Amino acid sequence: MQLTRRQETILEIVKNSGPITGEQIAEKLSLTRATLRPDLAILTMAGLLEARPRVGYFYSGKSPNRVVAEKLHRVLVASIKSVPVVVNEKCSVYDAVVTMFIEDVGTLFVVKEGGLLEGVISRKDLLKTTLGGHDIHKLPVGVIMTRMPNVLCTTPEESVWAAAKKLITHEVDALPVVRKVALPDGGEGLEVIGRLSKTNITRLFVELGEGI
């Protein structure tokens, strides 16, 4: 979070003299209360300052980095997920390659009837198969995909921070967003309802930056 020089000065004044009223801050800076109102609003909304009626402003004790971290922990996957790109396990590797290029994604989710997750195919999987001399028009993706339960997933209720950590730790480009569904046999399946990629997370960082 990038603060202006005046905002940094206000923060120091409140750290050293808080609680302090807006009028008192303005007096120290030889400015009007109206001039400072936008800066005080930004610092308060960012969580760096707290304000109480008839008391004034005081320092929250949070660093700008901590404020950003708390925001990431509060943002849920449900709010930034995108539409999943799925194929059937009988889909040929050739058709999967075409789908990946047309949809401009790096990961395809393999599903069966009802949209239940069966596996994942990455760009690397398709590249290795294509270079391996296989007949990609006849080879089904079910042969080369990473199968359940070895697929990393996320849920709409998981924090973006937790999901991003999975992406980095396991060096994958995207996670299927899933929810549990009851199966006719009494078991449970995972229905694919979205996709969380590094692009989604990058877009969130840009939006947070624009909102500062």
Side-chain angles (χ1 to χ4, degrees):
M1 180 177 181
Q2 187 67 43
L3 301 179
T4 66
R5 183 173 298 179
R6 188 162 70 193
Q7 289 164 1
E8 290 176 347
T9 302
I10 293 171
L11 206 54
E12 285 301 313
I13 290 173
V14 178
K15 281 182 185 180
N16 297 327
S17 305
I20 183 171
T21 66
E23 288 77 8
Q24 290 170 326
I25 297 171
E27 185 178 342
K28 285 179 177 290
L29 293 174
S30 300
L31 297 170
T32 65
R33 174 73 172 82
T35 301
L36 290 186
R37 190 172 291 118
D39 295 308
L40 291 170
I42 289 172
L43 293 171
T44 302
M45 287 188 293
L48 299 175
L49 294 183
E50 293 185 24
R52 292 180 184 171
R54 296 188 296 277
V55 174
Y57 294 92
F58 60 95
Y59 181 53
S60 67
K62 299 176 182 177
S63 68
N65 286 345
R66 183 180 169 190
V67 170
V68 172
E70 288 181 353
K71 285 184 178 180
L72 289 178
H73 279 274
R74 288 197 300 268
V75 177
L76 302 182
V77 167
S79 65
I80 70 166
K81 67 179 175 65
S82 53
V83 176
V85 180
V86 303
V87 295
N88 185 279
E89 70 172 334
K90 294 180 181 178
C91 168
S92 71
V93 169
Y94 174 82
D95 287 337
V97 171
V98 172
T99 300
M100 186 172 282
F101 274 97
I102 290 176
E103 299 292 342
D104 192 23
V105 294
T107 305
L108 299 175
F109 305 134
V110 184
V111 299
K112 58 183 177 182
E113 187 177 351
L116 300 181
L117 182 64
E118 289 210 294
V120 170
I121 311 166
S122 69
R123 185 185 287 111
K124 187 181 295 184
D125 294 328
L126 294 177
L127 181 60
K128 285 193 299 185
T129 303
T130 303
L131 296 177
H134 300 280
D135 185 347
I136 62 173
H137 290 272
K138 295 181 180 180
L139 185 68
V141 295
V143 175
I144 68 168
M145 70 182 182
T146 300
R147 288 184 171 273
M148 292 293 290
N150 299 315
V151 176
L152 285 170
C153 302
T154 184
T155 65
E157 301 79 21
E158 187 168 45
S159 73
V160 169
W161 178 85
K165 193 172 182 180
K166 290 179 182 177
L167 290 173
I168 297 299
T169 301
H170 297 277
E171 298 181 346
V172 294
D173 292 325
L175 298 173
V177 183
V178 300
R179 65 182 170 200
K180 290 182 179 180
V181 293
L183 300 179
D185 61 5
E188 281 188 339
L190 296 176
E191 180 186 5
V192 180
I193 59 172
R195 169 172 149 268
L196 183 79
S197 68
K198 291 178 179 178
T199 300
N200 296 125
I201 295 171
T202 302
R203 187 175 294 115
L204 172 62
F205 270 94
V206 172
E207 290 173 357
L208 287 175
E210 290 176 342
I212 290 176

